[in-house]
Amino acid sequence: MNIYSVFLGLGSNIGDRLQYLNSAAQELKKVRDSKVIWTSPVYETDPYGKADQGKFLNAAVEMETLLAPPVLYEEVKLIEKRLGRSSSERWGPREIDIDLLMYDGLVFENEKVKVPHADLENRKFVLVPLREIAPDLVHPVNGMTVSELASACRDTTRVVRTLHVIRL
């Protein structure tokens, strides 16, 4: 069995955003055959793709898991549902969003999940928190580190570190 090192992105811009991030982290700790290693600081970010909505809180999470990408994907979708995610509009407001960002150097795609996450390199709100916990992580397709991706990112949305932390 392989132990995969997985990086996830968390985001929320509806309701008690910090509570949603904390609840998501607590739920991730319960995922079978998996362990949360650590989380980034929390960032407040401008919305991406659809500007007419509230600001997000975002963070990155590192996990170790025995689960293959499609299985972990289903687990995080169940967590979103349990936490009350109701919105489904592309780039729209959401109570909680959990994305698989990178999966131990794997390149994987099926009808539901793609890793590394599509458009990762263009999303400052993902790259800045991810750089906090994995600056030297290499993107398996373009060969750039997360630090290099964050520096090269052309996304101009505001990403500001808060004093908030996710409780593990």
Side-chain angles (χ1 to χ4, degrees):
M1 279 193 203
N2 287 337
I3 297 176
Y4 300 105
S5 178
V6 179
F7 294 87
L8 302 98
L10 307 180
S12 174
N13 77 333
I14 295 177
D16 187 338
R17 302 171 300 164
L18 184 59
Q19 182 58 47
Y20 278 114
L21 296 186
N22 277 309
S23 295
Q26 293 305 312
E27 290 295 315
L28 287 169
K29 285 172 57 175
K30 299 174 189 174
V31 173
R32 65 187 165 92
D33 298 325
S34 302
K35 177 182 177 184
V36 173
I37 304 301
W38 64 332
T39 66
S40 73
V42 176
Y43 286 79
E44 185 170 66
T45 66
D46 288 338
Y48 176 89
K50 186 175 187 291
D52 61 336
Q53 58 182 316
K55 294 183 185 308
F56 279 81
L57 287 184
N58 290 97
V61 175
E62 180 181 4
M63 291 180 71
E64 288 180 350
T65 186
L66 297 175
L67 305 177
V71 179
L72 184 58
Y73 175 82
E74 291 302 325
E75 292 286 333
V76 299
K77 293 302 138 188
L78 288 171
I79 291 170
E80 288 179 347
K81 192 175 203 174
R82 277 197 306 272
L83 295 180
R85 178 163 174 174
S86 59
S87 55
S88 60
E89 174 187 0
R90 180 172 167 85
W91 292 331
R94 60 205 63 181
E95 293 84 0
I96 188 66
D97 186 38
I98 306 171
D99 290 326
L100 303 183
L101 303 177
M102 292 220 239
Y103 220 99
D104 212 1
L106 293 178
V107 177
F108 177 88
E109 183 173 4
N110 69 13
E111 62 281 349
K112 291 184 178 181
V113 63
K114 178 178 181 174
V115 288
H117 191 281
D119 208 29
L120 169 77
E121 60 273 9
N122 298 315
R123 297 176 176 198
K124 193 170 157 186
F125 70 93
V126 170
L127 292 169
V128 172
L130 185 57
R131 179 175 58 194
E132 290 269 357
I133 61 173
D136 299 323
L137 181 66
V138 175
H139 191 290
V141 176
N142 64 32
M144 294 174 71
T145 67
V146 170
S147 284
E148 291 169 338
L149 290 169
S151 295
C153 184
R154 294 185 179 176
D155 178 5
T156 59
T157 58
R158 191 179 69 86
V159 176
V160 177
R161 187 173 176 171
T162 70
L163 297 176
H164 301 297
V165 294
I166 294 177
R167 296 184 311 272
L168 287 179

